[in-house]
Structures are given as structure tokens and as C-alpha cells.
Amino acid sequence: MGALWIAHVTVTDDAAYAKYAELATEAIAAHGGHFIARGARFVQLEGQARPRNVVARFPDLETAERCYNSDVYQRALNHARDASERELMIIETSE
């Protein structure tokens, strides 16, 4: 089964977040992930809206979780922590 990495983000520091995005993209690609939505238009139907939404597909949940815990992604998070407010989840797909 595949997995989706879904992030809802409010960026508060564009320069620092750009550094996060560069490293995060590297980590995601290194773990077989690819973006299927990244900052595209959206309609918020319920809950709190965040201006930036990102969805990446991974081969499976375990690989997506390894990506999150990888050294490269953890370095990326050092840039994101003070540059954004965010929620991130990994959801296993039925495909």
C-alpha cells in the first residue's frame, strides 16, 4: 500500500522556509516520494485553513516515516520550526 504525506502550513519566514523546502524536497526524493500537490489552489470546507498545503506520495507508510526521521529531513525541520506553523500527517492509502 502507498502512503500520502499531507502538510498544512502557514509560512511566517519565507527565507528560512525556502531552506526547509530545499532540504525537504531532497529527503522526500531520496525516499522514493514525489509531490502530487504543492501550494495549489484549495477549498477549505471544515477546520482551520492554512495557506499552503502539500501532498507527497510514498511507496508505503514505513518509507514515509523513515523519510521524516532521516538526517536530511531533520535538518530541514530546523529551518521550518521557527519559520512556520504546520500540521503534518502520513496516511496509508488503499491503493
Side-chain angles (χ1 to χ4, degrees), residues 14-46:
D14 289 333
Y17 201 79
K19 293 175 186 175
Y20 158 79
E22 182 179 334
L23 287 169
T25 298
E26 177 185 329
I28 289 168
H31 287 85
H34 65 277
F35 293 101
I36 58 176
R38 197 173 193 183
R41 293 179 352 142
F42 70 97
V43 175
Q44 183 74 29
L45 299 175
E46 294 184 18

Side-chain angles (χ1 to χ4, degrees), residues 5 20 24 27 67-68 70-77 86 88:
W5 172 315
Y20 158 79
C67 177
Y68 181 85
S70 71
D71 291 340
V72 174
Y73 192 77
Q74 291 300 306
R75 281 199 327 266
L77 277 179
R86 34 186 272 136
L88 175 65

Side-chain angles (χ1 to χ4, degrees), residues 43-90:
V43 175
Q44 183 74 29
L45 299 175
E46 294 184 18
Q48 179 181 350
R50 297 263 186 212
R52 182 168 177 78
N53 298 283
V54 178
V55 180
R57 181 179 300 276
F58 284 85
D60 53 60
L61 189 134
E62 293 76 17
T63 302
E65 192 171 8
R66 275 194 304 275
C67 177
Y68 181 85
N69 291 314
S70 71
D71 291 340
V72 174
Y73 192 77
Q74 291 300 306
R75 281 199 327 266
L77 277 179
N78 288 333
H79 297 288
R81 285 191 178 103
D82 293 329
S84 63
E85 298 170 6
R86 34 186 272 136
E87 291 84 33
L88 175 65
M89 69 185 74
I90 302 168

